[in-house]
Amino acid sequence: MDRVGIGFIGCGNISAAYLKAARGFPILDVRGVADLNTAAAEARAAEFGLKAMTVEELLADPSVEIVVNLTIPKAHVEVGLRAVAAGKHVHSEKPLGIATAEAKQLVEAAKARGVRLGAAPDTLFGGAQQTSRKLVDEGAIGTPLGGTAFFMCPGHERWHPNPGFYYLDGGGPMLDMGPYYVTSLVNLLGPVESVAGIATKLRDERLVTSEPLKGTKIPVEVATHVAGTMKFVSGAVVSIAMSFDVPRHQHSPIELYGSEASLLVPDPNHFGGEIMLATASEDWKAVATEHAYADGNYRVIGVADMADAIRNRRPHRASGELAYHVLEVMEAFQRSSDSGRHVTIESRPERPAPLPVGPGIFS
């Protein structure tokens, strides 16, 4: 097996999930981890038996073919551009950038340098998401007409050890959680044509109740409740709400409505979950998941797909073009709210190729 060397920049909370999952994909050869905080890199390296490096050392290492960028959202483009300039392929945590203007620079730089660009979320590879895609593609719901997508909670200051960045420029529920939902919907229905939205902010500051910053107040710079409608090129119309202001709710994560049936799609922040289907004459019934990657946290599978695509000279699925489109859609909610108008989405990515039914394919 011709393994692909990868290196991680950013050793925060999410890096542990990536590094643990990487052990299950033999095609990935983790060469090292780096962080501006040397202690964070050394701690993560010791935890996983890896080499701690400086960012400069990692970017200069010829054995690193893919840089996995797990920095905070405001640094995604800056770090991505450095990796591209070093001739590395890049897979970024979501979102691709905090604005389309800067993300476009990264997309264009990667294209000019001849390297691949990809981004999370890669939960679209999950067995439940892939089986839901298969159901839609095979006409199980008929012609897709509409749907709903909801993520609503009281806020991340209840559990995150350092939640401040969720409420600063580049944060908020749409940029934080929206990528999972919008990416899932684009995978299921194809690209978005236009957006209408309203964005609001409940408070100017939030009280942290998690340790170690319990009792601290943090400023809020961004909208914390975003709702609106997406019209897809296919004609389907989906209502969406992303919020850090809702105590509790009973909405399903994603529901799709077709001319023949309705489909409940599991939480797109996870790889598994129960799929449900109902018609006008038959009540909800569970649908068996037919695809792999539904029984755990595979939060590095997008990198494995990119590695496999590099070796087999094919397009990778969690592409920069897809991530840019998702970012454009998310940004459009605030633009629509500010202008009081519908916003036309300019980008038109291809739907990522579906995974085959059966066992996992990324070795």
PDB file of all heavy atoms in Angstrom, residues 218-244:
ATOM      1  N   ILE A 218     -18.742  36.777  28.221  1.00  0.00           N
ATOM      2  CA  ILE A 218     -18.073  36.910  26.927  1.00  0.00           C
ATOM      3  C   ILE A 218     -18.934  37.741  25.986  1.00  0.00           C
ATOM      4  O   ILE A 218     -20.164  37.660  26.011  1.00  0.00           O
ATOM      5  CB  ILE A 218     -17.782  35.524  26.302  1.00  0.00           C
ATOM      6  CG1 ILE A 218     -19.044  34.661  26.253  1.00  0.00           C
ATOM      7  CG2 ILE A 218     -16.690  34.807  27.075  1.00  0.00           C
ATOM      8  CD1 ILE A 218     -18.853  33.311  25.598  1.00  0.00           C
ATOM      9  N   PRO A 219     -18.313  38.586  25.152  1.00  0.00           N
ATOM     10  CA  PRO A 219     -19.084  39.438  24.236  1.00  0.00           C
ATOM     11  C   PRO A 219     -19.655  38.644  23.064  1.00  0.00           C
ATOM     12  O   PRO A 219     -19.108  37.603  22.683  1.00  0.00           O
ATOM     13  CB  PRO A 219     -18.054  40.448  23.753  1.00  0.00           C
ATOM     14  CG  PRO A 219     -16.740  39.730  23.857  1.00  0.00           C
ATOM     15  CD  PRO A 219     -16.866  38.827  25.060  1.00  0.00           C
ATOM     16  N   VAL A 220     -20.745  39.142  22.514  1.00  0.00           N
ATOM     17  CA  VAL A 220     -21.393  38.519  21.358  1.00  0.00           C
ATOM     18  C   VAL A 220     -21.356  39.509  20.198  1.00  0.00           C
ATOM     19  O   VAL A 220     -21.926  40.597  20.275  1.00  0.00           O
ATOM     20  CB  VAL A 220     -22.853  38.135  21.671  1.00  0.00           C
ATOM     21  CG1 VAL A 220     -23.505  37.494  20.453  1.00  0.00           C
ATOM     22  CG2 VAL A 220     -22.915  37.202  22.865  1.00  0.00           C
ATOM     23  N   GLU A 221     -20.673  39.142  19.118  1.00  0.00           N
ATOM     24  CA  GLU A 221     -20.527  40.017  17.952  1.00  0.00           C
ATOM     25  C   GLU A 221     -21.379  39.573  16.764  1.00  0.00           C
ATOM     26  O   GLU A 221     -21.513  40.318  15.795  1.00  0.00           O
ATOM     27  CB  GLU A 221     -19.061  40.059  17.510  1.00  0.00           C
ATOM     28  CG  GLU A 221     -18.113  40.639  18.525  1.00  0.00           C
ATOM     29  CD  GLU A 221     -16.675  40.635  18.044  1.00  0.00           C
ATOM     30  OE1 GLU A 221     -16.383  40.021  17.004  1.00  0.00           O
ATOM     31  OE2 GLU A 221     -15.835  41.248  18.727  1.00  0.00           O
ATOM     32  N   VAL A 222     -21.935  38.369  16.827  1.00  0.00           N
ATOM     33  CA  VAL A 222     -22.595  37.788  15.653  1.00  0.00           C
ATOM     34  C   VAL A 222     -24.038  37.404  15.974  1.00  0.00           C
ATOM     35  O   VAL A 222     -24.436  37.319  17.136  1.00  0.00           O
ATOM     36  CB  VAL A 222     -21.838  36.538  15.165  1.00  0.00           C
ATOM     37  CG1 VAL A 222     -20.457  36.904  14.652  1.00  0.00           C
ATOM     38  CG2 VAL A 222     -21.733  35.502  16.283  1.00  0.00           C
ATOM     39  N   ALA A 223     -24.814  37.171  14.929  1.00  0.00           N
ATOM     40  CA  ALA A 223     -26.182  36.682  15.098  1.00  0.00           C
ATOM     41  C   ALA A 223     -26.163  35.310  15.752  1.00  0.00           C
ATOM     42  O   ALA A 223     -25.342  34.455  15.424  1.00  0.00           O
ATOM     43  CB  ALA A 223     -26.877  36.609  13.747  1.00  0.00           C
ATOM     44  N   THR A 224     -27.069  35.104  16.706  1.00  0.00           N
ATOM     45  CA  THR A 224     -27.118  33.828  17.417  1.00  0.00           C
ATOM     46  C   THR A 224     -28.394  33.041  17.123  1.00  0.00           C
ATOM     47  O   THR A 224     -28.587  31.952  17.657  1.00  0.00           O
ATOM     48  CB  THR A 224     -26.988  34.057  18.935  1.00  0.00           C
ATOM     49  OG1 THR A 224     -27.912  35.079  19.347  1.00  0.00           O
ATOM     50  CG2 THR A 224     -25.568  34.495  19.288  1.00  0.00           C
ATOM     51  N   HIS A 225     -29.275  33.591  16.295  1.00  0.00           N
ATOM     52  CA  HIS A 225     -30.453  32.860  15.825  1.00  0.00           C
ATOM     53  C   HIS A 225     -30.657  33.240  14.363  1.00  0.00           C
ATOM     54  O   HIS A 225     -30.925  34.399  14.048  1.00  0.00           O
ATOM     55  CB  HIS A 225     -31.693  33.209  16.647  1.00  0.00           C
ATOM     56  CG  HIS A 225     -32.894  32.370  16.301  1.00  0.00           C
ATOM     57  ND1 HIS A 225     -33.218  31.215  16.979  1.00  0.00           N
ATOM     58  CD2 HIS A 225     -33.835  32.507  15.332  1.00  0.00           C
ATOM     59  CE1 HIS A 225     -34.311  30.674  16.456  1.00  0.00           C
ATOM     60  NE2 HIS A 225     -34.704  31.446  15.465  1.00  0.00           N
ATOM     61  N   VAL A 226     -30.509  32.256  13.486  1.00  0.00           N
ATOM     62  CA  VAL A 226     -30.592  32.495  12.043  1.00  0.00           C
ATOM     63  C   VAL A 226     -31.622  31.542  11.452  1.00  0.00           C
ATOM     64  O   VAL A 226     -31.546  30.326  11.661  1.00  0.00           O
ATOM     65  CB  VAL A 226     -29.227  32.280  11.355  1.00  0.00           C
ATOM     66  CG1 VAL A 226     -29.329  32.591   9.859  1.00  0.00           C
ATOM     67  CG2 VAL A 226     -28.149  33.136  12.011  1.00  0.00           C
ATOM     68  N   ALA A 227     -32.580  32.094  10.741  1.00  0.00           N
ATOM     69  CA  ALA A 227     -33.625  31.270  10.136  1.00  0.00           C
ATOM     70  C   ALA A 227     -33.893  31.759   8.722  1.00  0.00           C
ATOM     71  O   ALA A 227     -33.662  32.919   8.386  1.00  0.00           O
ATOM     72  CB  ALA A 227     -34.912  31.342  10.963  1.00  0.00           C
ATOM     73  N   GLY A 228     -34.385  30.854   7.883  1.00  0.00           N
ATOM     74  CA  GLY A 228     -34.681  31.257   6.514  1.00  0.00           C
ATOM     75  C   GLY A 228     -35.054  30.089   5.630  1.00  0.00           C
ATOM     76  O   GLY A 228     -35.399  29.004   6.110  1.00  0.00           O
ATOM     77  N   THR A 229     -34.952  30.337   4.343  1.00  0.00           N
ATOM     78  CA  THR A 229     -35.380  29.367   3.338  1.00  0.00           C
ATOM     79  C   THR A 229     -34.343  29.260   2.247  1.00  0.00           C
ATOM     80  O   THR A 229     -33.775  30.268   1.812  1.00  0.00           O
ATOM     81  CB  THR A 229     -36.724  29.787   2.723  1.00  0.00           C
ATOM     82  OG1 THR A 229     -37.683  29.959   3.772  1.00  0.00           O
ATOM     83  CG2 THR A 229     -37.227  28.745   1.748  1.00  0.00           C
ATOM     84  N   MET A 230     -34.098  28.038   1.812  1.00  0.00           N
ATOM     85  CA  MET A 230     -33.202  27.776   0.691  1.00  0.00           C
ATOM     86  C   MET A 230     -34.003  27.187  -0.468  1.00  0.00           C
ATOM     87  O   MET A 230     -34.729  26.205  -0.273  1.00  0.00           O
ATOM     88  CB  MET A 230     -32.102  26.781   1.094  1.00  0.00           C
ATOM     89  CG  MET A 230     -31.179  27.293   2.166  1.00  0.00           C
ATOM     90  SD  MET A 230     -29.974  26.011   2.691  1.00  0.00           S
ATOM     91  CE  MET A 230     -31.060  24.938   3.625  1.00  0.00           C
ATOM     92  N   LYS A 231     -33.858  27.774  -1.632  1.00  0.00           N
ATOM     93  CA  LYS A 231     -34.418  27.175  -2.840  1.00  0.00           C
ATOM     94  C   LYS A 231     -33.289  26.497  -3.601  1.00  0.00           C
ATOM     95  O   LYS A 231     -32.264  27.121  -3.891  1.00  0.00           O
ATOM     96  CB  LYS A 231     -35.092  28.213  -3.733  1.00  0.00           C
ATOM     97  CG  LYS A 231     -35.704  27.599  -4.987  1.00  0.00           C
ATOM     98  CD  LYS A 231     -36.343  28.635  -5.899  1.00  0.00           C
ATOM     99  CE  LYS A 231     -36.926  27.964  -7.135  1.00  0.00           C
ATOM    100  NZ  LYS A 231     -37.495  28.965  -8.088  1.00  0.00           N
ATOM    101  N   PHE A 232     -33.459  25.232  -3.907  1.00  0.00           N
ATOM    102  CA  PHE A 232     -32.429  24.465  -4.598  1.00  0.00           C
ATOM    103  C   PHE A 232     -32.635  24.534  -6.104  1.00  0.00           C
ATOM    104  O   PHE A 232     -33.750  24.784  -6.590  1.00  0.00           O
ATOM    105  CB  PHE A 232     -32.449  23.010  -4.109  1.00  0.00           C
ATOM    106  CG  PHE A 232     -31.930  22.849  -2.705  1.00  0.00           C
ATOM    107  CD1 PHE A 232     -32.709  23.227  -1.621  1.00  0.00           C
ATOM    108  CD2 PHE A 232     -30.662  22.355  -2.471  1.00  0.00           C
ATOM    109  CE1 PHE A 232     -32.223  23.103  -0.321  1.00  0.00           C
ATOM    110  CE2 PHE A 232     -30.170  22.224  -1.176  1.00  0.00           C
ATOM    111  CZ  PHE A 232     -30.951  22.605  -0.103  1.00  0.00           C
ATOM    112  N   VAL A 233     -31.556  24.324  -6.833  1.00  0.00           N
ATOM    113  CA  VAL A 233     -31.634  24.318  -8.293  1.00  0.00           C
ATOM    114  C   VAL A 233     -32.645  23.286  -8.764  1.00  0.00           C
ATOM    115  O   VAL A 233     -33.334  23.490  -9.768  1.00  0.00           O
ATOM    116  CB  VAL A 233     -30.237  24.042  -8.901  1.00  0.00           C
ATOM    117  CG1 VAL A 233     -30.318  23.887 -10.408  1.00  0.00           C
ATOM    118  CG2 VAL A 233     -29.251  25.157  -8.529  1.00  0.00           C
ATOM    119  N   SER A 234     -32.788  22.206  -8.018  1.00  0.00           N
ATOM    120  CA  SER A 234     -33.736  21.141  -8.363  1.00  0.00           C
ATOM    121  C   SER A 234     -35.188  21.574  -8.219  1.00  0.00           C
ATOM    122  O   SER A 234     -36.091  20.901  -8.712  1.00  0.00           O
ATOM    123  CB  SER A 234     -33.490  19.927  -7.473  1.00  0.00           C
ATOM    124  OG  SER A 234     -33.797  20.236  -6.116  1.00  0.00           O
ATOM    125  N   GLY A 235     -35.419  22.682  -7.504  1.00  0.00           N
ATOM    126  CA  GLY A 235     -36.774  23.153  -7.262  1.00  0.00           C
ATOM    127  C   GLY A 235     -37.251  22.936  -5.839  1.00  0.00           C
ATOM    128  O   GLY A 235     -38.252  23.524  -5.416  1.00  0.00           O
ATOM    129  N   ALA A 236     -36.571  22.100  -5.059  1.00  0.00           N
ATOM    130  CA  ALA A 236     -36.965  21.860  -3.675  1.00  0.00           C
ATOM    131  C   ALA A 236     -36.750  23.118  -2.833  1.00  0.00           C
ATOM    132  O   ALA A 236     -35.836  23.908  -3.088  1.00  0.00           O
ATOM    133  CB  ALA A 236     -36.158  20.704  -3.090  1.00  0.00           C
ATOM    134  N   VAL A 237     -37.598  23.305  -1.829  1.00  0.00           N
ATOM    135  CA  VAL A 237     -37.535  24.459  -0.939  1.00  0.00           C
ATOM    136  C   VAL A 237     -37.424  23.946   0.496  1.00  0.00           C
ATOM    137  O   VAL A 237     -38.296  23.205   0.962  1.00  0.00           O
ATOM    138  CB  VAL A 237     -38.774  25.352  -1.092  1.00  0.00           C
ATOM    139  CG1 VAL A 237     -38.732  26.503  -0.093  1.00  0.00           C
ATOM    140  CG2 VAL A 237     -38.869  25.892  -2.518  1.00  0.00           C
ATOM    141  N   VAL A 238     -36.366  24.341   1.201  1.00  0.00           N
ATOM    142  CA  VAL A 238     -36.097  23.834   2.545  1.00  0.00           C
ATOM    143  C   VAL A 238     -36.018  24.992   3.537  1.00  0.00           C
ATOM    144  O   VAL A 238     -35.282  25.962   3.314  1.00  0.00           O
ATOM    145  CB  VAL A 238     -34.788  23.021   2.576  1.00  0.00           C
ATOM    146  CG1 VAL A 238     -34.448  22.598   4.008  1.00  0.00           C
ATOM    147  CG2 VAL A 238     -34.899  21.797   1.677  1.00  0.00           C
ATOM    148  N   SER A 239     -36.760  24.880   4.647  1.00  0.00           N
ATOM    149  CA  SER A 239     -36.683  25.840   5.752  1.00  0.00           C
ATOM    150  C   SER A 239     -35.583  25.408   6.712  1.00  0.00           C
ATOM    151  O   SER A 239     -35.424  24.212   6.992  1.00  0.00           O
ATOM    152  CB  SER A 239     -38.011  25.903   6.502  1.00  0.00           C
ATOM    153  OG  SER A 239     -39.060  26.301   5.638  1.00  0.00           O
ATOM    154  N   ILE A 240     -34.825  26.372   7.232  1.00  0.00           N
ATOM    155  CA  ILE A 240     -33.698  26.056   8.094  1.00  0.00           C
ATOM    156  C   ILE A 240     -33.654  27.018   9.272  1.00  0.00           C
ATOM    157  O   ILE A 240     -34.036  28.191   9.137  1.00  0.00           O
ATOM    158  CB  ILE A 240     -32.367  26.106   7.305  1.00  0.00           C
ATOM    159  CG1 ILE A 240     -31.187  25.614   8.162  1.00  0.00           C
ATOM    160  CG2 ILE A 240     -32.107  27.497   6.749  1.00  0.00           C
ATOM    161  CD1 ILE A 240     -29.893  25.423   7.363  1.00  0.00           C
ATOM    162  N   ALA A 241     -33.218  26.537  10.439  1.00  0.00           N
ATOM    163  CA  ALA A 241     -32.988  27.389  11.605  1.00  0.00           C
ATOM    164  C   ALA A 241     -31.771  26.872  12.351  1.00  0.00           C
ATOM    165  O   ALA A 241     -31.692  25.684  12.668  1.00  0.00           O
ATOM    166  CB  ALA A 241     -34.206  27.403  12.525  1.00  0.00           C
ATOM    167  N   MET A 242     -30.826  27.758  12.613  1.00  0.00           N
ATOM    168  CA  MET A 242     -29.629  27.465  13.383  1.00  0.00           C
ATOM    169  C   MET A 242     -29.586  28.451  14.543  1.00  0.00           C
ATOM    170  O   MET A 242     -29.611  29.665  14.323  1.00  0.00           O
ATOM    171  CB  MET A 242     -28.367  27.629  12.524  1.00  0.00           C
ATOM    172  CG  MET A 242     -28.294  26.736  11.300  1.00  0.00           C
ATOM    173  SD  MET A 242     -27.869  25.023  11.688  1.00  0.00           S
ATOM    174  CE  MET A 242     -29.332  24.186  11.064  1.00  0.00           C
ATOM    175  N   SER A 243     -29.528  27.943  15.783  1.00  0.00           N
ATOM    176  CA  SER A 243     -29.655  28.848  16.920  1.00  0.00           C
ATOM    177  C   SER A 243     -28.840  28.412  18.121  1.00  0.00           C
ATOM    178  O   SER A 243     -28.733  27.222  18.426  1.00  0.00           O
ATOM    179  CB  SER A 243     -31.130  28.953  17.323  1.00  0.00           C
ATOM    180  OG  SER A 243     -31.285  29.865  18.403  1.00  0.00           O
ATOM    181  N   PHE A 244     -28.283  29.418  18.835  1.00  0.00           N
ATOM    182  CA  PHE A 244     -27.683  29.231  20.150  1.00  0.00           C
ATOM    183  C   PHE A 244     -28.579  29.818  21.239  1.00  0.00           C
ATOM    184  O   PHE A 244     -28.127  30.044  22.364  1.00  0.00           O
ATOM    185  CB  PHE A 244     -26.314  29.927  20.225  1.00  0.00           C
ATOM    186  CG  PHE A 244     -25.221  29.273  19.443  1.00  0.00           C
ATOM    187  CD1 PHE A 244     -24.066  29.990  19.133  1.00  0.00           C
ATOM    188  CD2 PHE A 244     -25.302  27.959  19.015  1.00  0.00           C
ATOM    189  CE1 PHE A 244     -23.016  29.408  18.424  1.00  0.00           C
ATOM    190  CE2 PHE A 244     -24.262  27.364  18.298  1.00  0.00           C
ATOM    191  CZ  PHE A 244     -23.116  28.096  18.002  1.00  0.00           C
TER     192      PHE A 244
END
